[in-house]
Amino acid sequence: MRKNDQTPECQDHHTTVLVVEDSIAERVRLVAMLGKLDYRILEASNGLEAIAQLEKNRVDIVISDWRMPGMDGFELCKKVKATTDLAPYFILLTGQKTVSDLVAAMDAGADDFIAKPFAVEELRVRLNAGRRIIDLRHSLCVKNEQLSHSLARESETLAQLKEDLVAAETLQRALLPDPCGLPAGVTMLHYFKGASGVAGDSYNIVTLSPTQIAFYLIDVSGHGIRSAMLSFYATQLLSNTSKPDLGSTALPVPSQVAQELNQRFLAEFDDGDYLTMVYGVLDTATGQGSFCQAGHPNPFLLDHESDAPEILGSQGFPIGMLEEATYEDVTFELKPGHRLVLTSDGLFSCRMASGQLLTQTHLAGLLNRIAQLPTARQQEKFSSTLDSFLAIRELEDDISALLIERTAQGTAQPHSTKLLTSVPA
């Protein structure tokens, strides 16, 4: 049987009616009525001939007598409704007028039921009802085709967007600091994971001289593409601001850098965008440093002897939130073998297996145990431990961490076989 597939079904067409009647006289009468009503007409003398017509032609309405030799109208209706994707509107004719006939016809799948004899006006209104249903089907079919095309375009756009996001994430990771580019006297560990691939977090260490570095970790509000673009913008500003003028040996003043960035954000973005940040400078020869904290989680100092972190700073105002915000410098000393740790707040919104939130103390314990490994293995261990911890959690925020260690002059790194394989429970 020819399927009324969507493409021809959705096209404008003259309504086609198939008349199935074994009585020649009745069939001629029906055809004459339909001719006056401006229908395209096909004929069949029984159910088997009707099936053949349906296999060759697209038919909108079938008018079939009930009792016929070979295959009667009842069986024809069941077969048409069962085997056609978009079955024609089906009207059964019968000389019986009982309720049981009506129920049987509807159970077989008939859309309408006409008892003989009938007038041309009754046939006309029944056919008009069928045409309205057919027109609704055509309209729905057109809308479905339009929707299918729209979904196909959306799928292509989404696929391209996913490719672009992967490329953006790759680029974002490529901009993270390279430990091999650090000056002598400092080493680093770092971790970066976006809640949705690309992230609003970013960090860097900028070499200012053989014994001087600037460092920062920023966290743009929200996450995703917009946050990532704002993060990239802020990163470029901070990296360029950190570079000393030609011939100058003066270190950037962190509070002034924060003040300048705050004014730039307020002037260029008016959609409520802001970021938190720690920006600082360090003399790697003396261990003397200073930083400015702009609404960001407190950095902390850590030594190898204790899991108790030394909390620094007092938060301050985020960048891009208040025009009248002021920023202060906090001084610190990074002794040989000690580490300065910066994180975004996303890490401390994660809960451990015990249900307790991860804290700076837990992170300090993890870092001290990783420090017992040979230097070459510490970065891999830090990344894999946090990856395992975060793998079973649905991230609601980007996560980043930056550790700067001032190496002990002339002192070998301590080794141990006692390792932590996971974040403390």
Side-chain angles (χ1 to χ4, degrees):
M1 187 176 296
R2 185 182 190 275
K3 293 184 177 182
N4 291 347
D5 52 20
Q6 285 191 351
T7 301
E9 184 74 18
C10 291
Q11 297 173 350
D12 293 334
H13 64 277
H14 204 63
T15 303
T16 301
V17 178
L18 173 60
V19 177
V20 189
E21 172 63 70
D22 61 323
S23 169
I24 296 175
E26 287 295 323
R27 191 163 71 247
V28 170
R29 177 172 173 267
L30 266 172
V31 169
M33 288 181 177
L34 293 169
K36 294 178 181 179
L37 298 174
D38 195 29
Y39 288 96
R40 177 175 177 264
I41 305 164
L42 299 174
E43 299 179 45
S45 62
N46 57 50
L48 294 176
E49 288 185 11
I51 295 296
Q53 288 281 23
L54 289 165
E55 288 176 344
K56 295 184 295 183
N57 301 282
R58 177 179 43 76
V59 174
D60 300 300
I61 301 175
V62 176
I63 303 177
S64 175
D65 191 23
W66 189 313
R67 288 171 171 74
M68 297 177 295
M71 178 186 288
D72 62 20
F74 185 82
E75 291 298 325
L76 173 63
C77 181
K78 289 198 295 184
K79 187 172 181 63
V80 168
K81 292 296 185 178
T83 59
T84 312
D85 289 341
L86 293 173
Y89 191 82
F90 206 102
I91 302 175
L92 265 175
L93 305 176
T94 181
Q96 306 298 321
K97 300 181 180 180
T98 65
V99 173
S100 60
D101 285 335
L102 175 61
V103 171
M106 295 306 177
D107 283 344
D111 299 292
D112 206 349
F113 176 91
I114 303 178
K116 297 179 181 178
F118 53 86
V120 66
E121 283 302 304
E122 181 181 1
L123 179 62
R124 180 183 64 81
V125 296
R126 303 278 186 155
L127 288 171
N128 284 343
R131 290 183 71 167
R132 285 195 294 271
I133 292 176
I134 292 168
D135 289 344
L136 287 173
R137 177 191 293 172
H138 292 164
S139 176
L140 179 61
C141 188
V142 170
K143 287 181 171 59
N144 283 341
E145 280 194 345
Q146 293 172 344
L147 179 59
S148 294
H149 290 317
S150 296
L151 289 175
R153 289 194 297 269
E154 289 295 327
S155 295
E156 292 176 1
T157 302
L158 182 59
Q160 183 62 54
L161 179 60
K162 288 181 178 179
E163 290 182 9
D164 292 344
L165 285 175
V166 170
E169 183 182 3
T170 301
L171 175 61
Q172 194 170 36
R173 288 185 176 277
L175 296 175
L176 297 177
D178 181 5
C180 297
L182 297 179
V186 290
T187 61
M188 63 169 282
L189 297 179
H190 63 109
Y191 186 80
F192 175 87
K193 189 176 184 66
S196 57
V198 292
D201 287 9
S202 188
Y203 51 84
N204 201 2
I205 298 176
V206 182
T207 300
L208 305 178
S209 76
T211 59
Q212 295 173 327
I213 61 171
F215 58 86
Y216 60 82
L217 191 150
I218 62 176
D219 181 1
V220 177
S221 58
H223 53 265
I225 298 175
R226 180 175 179 82
S227 294
M229 295 302 294
L230 291 174
S231 176
F232 179 78
Y233 169 81
T235 295
Q236 297 306 302
L237 283 180
L238 289 174
S239 295
N240 291 333
T241 302
S242 299
K243 296 175 182 177
D245 295 331
L246 187 64
S248 173
T249 59
L251 288 172
V253 179
S255 59
Q256 293 179 4
V257 172
Q259 192 71 45
E260 180 181 346
L261 185 59
N262 184 58
Q263 296 304 316
R264 292 286 292 271
F265 248 67
L266 288 168
E268 298 184 23
F269 305 106
D270 57 0
D271 296 326
D273 298 303
Y274 67 92
L275 62 85
T276 65
M277 174 184 74
V278 169
Y279 177 92
V281 291
L282 174 67
D283 187 314
T284 61
T286 66
Q288 299 300 312
S290 64
F291 68 86
C292 176
Q293 186 180 5
H296 202 78
N298 297 83
F300 61 89
L301 293 174
L302 185 64
D303 64 48
H304 294 290
E305 304 300 325
S306 171
D307 288 349
E310 180 185 345
I311 308 299
L312 304 175
S314 58
Q315 293 201 335
F317 293 101
I319 300 294
M321 186 170 287
L322 295 173
E323 185 174 2
E324 58 272 21
T326 59
Y327 300 93
E328 298 179 354
D329 293 308
V330 177
T331 60
F332 68 95
E333 180 183 5
L334 189 62
K335 298 178 180 178
H338 288 203
R339 290 152 292 165
L340 174 67
V341 183
L342 318 176
T343 66
S344 63
D345 60 357
L347 186 59
F348 301 121
S349 65
C350 297
R351 293 187 181 275
M352 299 179 293
S354 63
Q356 183 181 2
L357 288 172
L358 187 73
T359 66
Q360 291 174 319
T361 301
H362 295 127
L363 180 60
L366 169 65
L367 291 171
N368 271 350
R369 287 162 177 79
I370 289 176
Q372 298 172 19
L373 288 166
T375 301
R377 292 187 54 198
Q378 291 181 16
Q379 179 61 64
E380 186 278 331
K381 188 63 178 178
F382 184 45
S383 297
S384 63
T385 301
L386 287 181
D387 281 341
S388 297
F389 173 68
L390 298 172
I392 59 174
R393 292 160 175 82
E394 183 176 353
L395 295 185
E396 298 180 356
D397 198 0
D398 306 323
I399 292 177
S400 59
L402 176 64
L403 177 149
I404 302 171
E405 179 174 0
R406 185 172 173 229
T407 56
Q409 301 296 322
T411 302
Q413 291 285 338
H415 293 178
S416 172
T417 57
K418 182 180 178 182
L419 306 177
L420 179 70
T421 58
S422 63
V423 174

